Amino acid sequence: MKSNTFQILSEFKNVAIFHRELDKIRLLSSKINKVVKFMEVCGTHTMQISYFGIRKVLPQNVELISGPGCPVCVTPIEYVDKAIYLLKKYNNIVIATFGDMFRVPGSESSLEVEKSKGKIVEVVYSPVEVIDIAKRYRNNEVVFLSIGFETTMPGISVLLQELKRLKIENVSLLVGNKFFLPAMRSLLNSLDKFFVNGFILPGHLSSIIGSNVYKDIVKNYKIGGVVCGFEPVDIVIGIRTLLEMIGNGNVSIVNEYSRVVKPEGNIKAKKIISRTFVPTESLWRGLGWVADSGAKLTNEYSFFDAEKRFSIPKNIPTKKQIGCKCAEVILGKIKPYQCSLFGKVCSPEKPVGACMVSSEGSCAAYYKYER
Amino acid sequence: MCIAVPMRIVKVKDNVGICEYEGTVREARLDLLEDVKVGDYVIIHTGFAIQKIDIEDALETIKIYKEIESLK
């Protein structure tokens, strides 16, 4: 079986199954005499839905909207400004960052602009690459821009443990990591302002936090959700399942991505996260301040906190981009093309807001595949 | 950023695995998983294997959908 295992996985791209599911979606939606909106809350889903053209083949009364699932997009401008402040104020700073953050505009500048002016900015794919950067720049202070949800956090926790074990002291983290569920609850608490009939729940994030954690969404908000994989078949099965829930009035959480997501998640990864990070209040682009949705370092690892190591003003005055509607896009309140800047002054080549920069942002997805 | 890819483990040395997918070979840290063996399929995100892929489960799911397809 081993030799054809990737073939088994590629069956989740099977065109015949995709179309059969689509037929079911058409039938189910024809029986529902209203517009239904399903929200995906993972940047990779946003990208895949656009890439595979799924929105275009759905019936008119089934809408897919994107929620706050792209970690770069939900990182507020204040965070970018802090990184720029460090680069400008201290001569010996090296910023290490995931590639997606590199071009995100701050109030006055971006990491890309600062690098072009001679500042040192290193892009990493994996958090553990920071160890090599620290060795290469042993006379500098390396600040890692630590962002991402629970999918990314355990890898960053491993980096912290390694830094401690190897006694590498010239590294600190500007912690902007976020816990997903408190933000999801915050979103659900503002559902009076817009409406969603079901959630396409994130596959890879759920591989860490598990599918059990979503049960209170059903209980408290009476909205169903399907944990979905990322292939086209996964996504249409998710949509079909949500329509069935609406049709029979029986909302629940279904785990479609059971080949990767377990009810309890990845227990080892969750333990590793809790050794280095604890929840704290956090600022989200779009959602504002949300209790317990952000991460801060535990006492054991607070030595690596860039905000303690350097003097960073609490409130750097921000200058928001006039006309940028990223905040509304993140909450699914408007479609990217409903922002007056979209495709005119804001494009992936010259982005104004984070949703256009990030490879998983809604605006970037619409710009590339749905214009 | 949560993008992640399925890969097959072809070699394990301590907490690092050599992984392969359609000719692409790369290293991934295995710190987040228990008992990873050569031949396991895993999901890789930012250089870490974050979860094993349950191939039996995938096969079962596909079998169900294919059977329904053949009954059509």
Side-chain angles (χ1 to χ4, degrees):
Chain A
M1 191 183 83
K2 272 181 187 167
S3 61
N4 65 1
T5 303
F6 280 124
Q7 265 171 311
I8 295 167
L9 296 176
S10 73
E11 290 289 349
F12 289 92
K13 292 185 174 83
N14 186 303
V15 176
I17 301 175
F18 179 88
H19 282 286
R20 190 182 58 79
E21 289 298 321
L22 209 53
D23 288 344
K24 277 194 168 183
I25 286 172
R26 290 191 183 112
L27 184 67
L28 286 162
S29 67
S30 69
K31 292 178 186 163
I32 300 168
N33 294 323
K34 61 175 183 179
V35 173
V36 287
K37 289 188 181 185
F38 300 139
M39 178 180 267
E40 89 271 357
V41 274
C42 168
T44 309
H45 276 143
T46 303
M47 218 55 196
Q48 295 292 80
I49 287 166
S50 288
Y51 179 76
F52 290 115
I54 292 173
R55 214 181 317 271
K56 287 176 194 156
V57 294
L58 290 178
Q60 276 194 335
N61 66 332
V62 180
E63 274 189 39
L64 298 182
I65 53 173
S66 306
C70 156
V72 174
C73 307
V74 297
T75 299
I77 198 162
E78 286 81 351
Y79 181 86
V80 183
D81 287 349
K82 279 182 188 173
I84 305 285
Y85 177 88
L86 281 171
L87 270 178
K88 285 185 171 170
K89 174 146 192 228
Y90 298 91
N91 286 327
N92 65 336
I93 294 278
V94 172
I95 292 280
T97 178
F98 291 121
D100 274 8
M101 283 297 284
F102 186 58
R103 298 177 65 221
V104 176
S107 294
E108 305 283 352
S109 184
S110 69
L111 296 171
E112 184 183 34
V113 168
E114 291 306 311
K115 186 166 184 170
S116 73
K117 289 181 185 166
K119 301 288 184 191
I120 309 172
V121 180
E122 296 282 343
V123 170
V124 299
Y125 160 71
S126 174
V128 286
E129 289 168 32
V130 172
I131 295 167
D132 290 334
I133 293 172
K135 287 177 182 167
R136 211 164 357 120
Y137 294 100
R138 62 181 75 237
N139 297 319
N140 294 66
E141 278 286 339
V142 178
V143 178
F144 175 53
L145 304 189
S146 178
I147 65 156
F149 297 120
E150 286 94 330
T151 331
T152 317
M153 282 163 81
I156 298 171
S157 300
V158 171
L159 164 68
L160 284 162
Q161 290 176 347
E162 291 285 68
L163 290 171
K164 200 171 179 198
R165 185 177 68 83
L166 298 165
K167 298 191 170 57
I168 295 174
E169 295 186 345
N170 64 326
V171 175
S172 58
L173 272 59
L174 189 60
V175 180
N177 296 90
K178 301 201 185 298
F179 292 104
F180 176 71
L181 274 183
M184 183 93 179
R185 285 192 203 103
S186 162
L187 186 72
L188 284 157
N189 286 334
S190 62
L191 275 182
D192 51 330
K193 299 187 189 92
F194 63 111
F195 75 92
V196 171
N197 303 91
F199 285 100
I200 295 172
L201 295 164
H204 293 139
L205 185 133
S206 304
S207 79
I208 305 291
I209 67 175
S211 55
N212 277 344
V213 293
Y214 300 114
K215 283 182 180 163
D216 73 327
I217 292 174
V218 178
K219 204 172 138 200
N220 298 332
Y221 302 94
K222 314 282 179 250
I223 294 179
V226 181
V227 179
C228 275
F230 298 91
E231 299 297 355
V233 167
D234 290 315
I235 294 168
V236 285
I237 289 173
I239 296 166
R240 186 258 298 157
T241 309
L242 287 171
L243 283 169
E244 281 173 350
M245 286 183 200
I246 291 171
N248 62 27
N250 190 10
V251 293
S252 63
I253 297 297
V254 172
N255 180 11
E256 183 279 332
Y257 200 33
S258 55
R259 62 189 186 276
V260 171
V261 175
K262 303 298 157 209
E264 70 284 3
N266 181 336
I267 293 168
K268 189 176 181 187
K270 285 193 283 188
K271 270 190 195 152
I272 292 174
I273 292 175
S274 66
R275 255 178 249 147
T276 56
F277 294 110
V278 284
T280 186
E281 193 181 31
S282 179
L283 181 61
W284 293 60
R285 198 187 293 251
L287 288 171
W289 287 95
V290 181
D292 296 329
S293 70
K296 68 174 183 182
L297 295 170
T298 54
N299 286 340
E300 197 188 340
Y301 287 90
S302 62
F303 170 79
F304 295 103
D305 187 345
E307 301 208 52
K308 289 191 175 139
R309 193 172 298 187
F310 304 101
S311 155
I312 307 173
K314 278 263 174 283
N315 295 307
I316 301 172
T318 56
K319 206 171 83 186
K320 301 254 158 72
Q321 306 293 345
I322 295 167
C324 175
K325 293 210 161 59
C326 272
E328 284 95 325
V329 170
I330 288 164
L331 295 180
K333 288 181 182 172
I334 64 164
K335 297 275 169 59
Y337 53 78
Q338 290 172 310
C339 171
S340 60
L341 307 186
F342 179 80
K344 298 183 184 103
V345 290
C346 184
S347 67
E349 291 73 35
K350 208 164 176 269
V352 176
C355 302
M356 188 60 97
V357 187
S358 170
S359 58
E360 299 186 351
S362 305
C363 296
Y366 270 80
Y367 188 92
K368 279 186 199 154
Y369 305 114
E370 298 194 62
R371 265 196 310 154
Chain B
M1 239 184 79
C2 288
I3 200 150
V5 288
M7 296 190 97
R8 187 170 70 95
I9 306 272
V10 291
K11 201 173 166 186
V12 175
K13 198 180 172 220
D14 303 325
N15 54 0
V16 177
I18 308 293
C19 311
E20 179 272 329
Y21 174 62
E22 288 185 344
T24 303
V25 176
R26 70 184 335 158
E27 281 188 3
R29 298 278 302 224
L30 308 174
D31 311 62
L32 309 178
L33 298 177
E34 308 276 7
D35 310 321
V36 183
K37 310 180 291 298
V38 169
D40 282 347
Y41 286 75
V42 291
I43 295 284
I44 309 285
H45 167 73
T46 62
F48 283 82
I50 57 167
Q51 192 56 278
K52 287 186 196 177
I53 305 172
D54 186 337
I55 297 299
E56 293 299 325
D57 184 294
L59 195 60
E60 197 55 38
T61 308
I62 283 299
K63 227 168 90 186
I64 292 167
Y65 289 117
K66 284 211 153 167
E67 271 165 20
I68 298 169
E69 183 64 24
S70 65
L71 292 175
K72 231 179 105 179

